[in-house]
Amino acid sequence: MDPLVAAAMQARENAHAPFSGFKVGAAIEDSTGRIHGGCNVENATYGLTLCAERVAIFKAISEGARAFRRVAVVAETETLTPPCGACRQILWEFCGDVEIVLGNLKGRSETLRLGSLLPRPFDQSFL
Ligand code: THU
């Protein structure tokens, strides 16, 4: 199995999702090959919930990583779970048109690029 998908699957095990019951794992490979995992962390206020993708990218940034090769997202769904709109925007900020691997627990996966999920993005090039 792709080690990045395996890392996302592993991170998913730590999901704190008592409200939705929907566990998500993400993993991001930086330019040195280091893998940063993340899981969703829900909150009783609901609105303060953080998605797995944002936990993973913020962990990576806080560890000093600044360039990224690939992102993986894993959930237990038949239709592979894509990053939400907010996560697409945050991932674009740091990863640009990065490769994204979507996977599920049955071993299904699909590889696409962030640009196909977030066409015509707003970013620092406009500022
Ligand atoms: N969630 C993620 O962590 N990533 C996604 O790509 C989709 C949604 C989380 C947020 C919340 O904890 C739960 O899944 C249900 O929306």
Side-chain angles (χ1 to χ4, degrees):
M1 182 192 294
D2 182 335
L4 196 66
V5 172
M9 224 174 250
Q10 180 70 49
R12 181 184 167 277
E13 295 294 316
N14 295 324
H16 175 71
F19 307 108
S20 72
F22 191 77
K23 296 181 167 192
V24 185
I28 303 182
E29 182 184 345
D30 70 24
S31 57
T32 72
R34 185 171 166 197
I35 290 177
H36 307 263
C39 61
N40 52 332
V41 183
E42 297 187 345
N43 185 269
T45 63
Y46 292 19
L48 291 177
T49 290
L50 277 181
C51 292
E53 297 90 327
R54 272 176 285 164
V55 170
I57 189 69
F58 291 150
K59 275 178 65 190
I61 292 295
S62 70
E63 293 294 322
R66 285 295 182 276
F68 302 97
R69 292 177 183 159
R70 293 194 306 146
V71 176
V73 182
V74 169
E76 192 175 21
T77 53
E78 284 298 328
T79 302
L80 299 174
T81 300
C84 78
C87 289
R88 294 176 196 198
Q89 181 70 33
I90 296 288
L91 288 173
W92 185 271
E93 178 80 15
F94 298 110
C95 307
D97 193 18
V98 73
E99 187 173 298
I100 302 205
V101 186
L102 308 179
N104 69 12
L105 299 191
K106 288 184 175 166
R108 236 196 101 198
S109 71
E110 180 186 342
T111 301
L112 36 75
R113 299 199 81 92
L114 184 55
S116 70
L117 295 176
L118 188 70
R120 210 169 163 176
F122 177 80
D123 61 23
Q124 51 196 296
S125 69
F126 290 93
L127 301 176

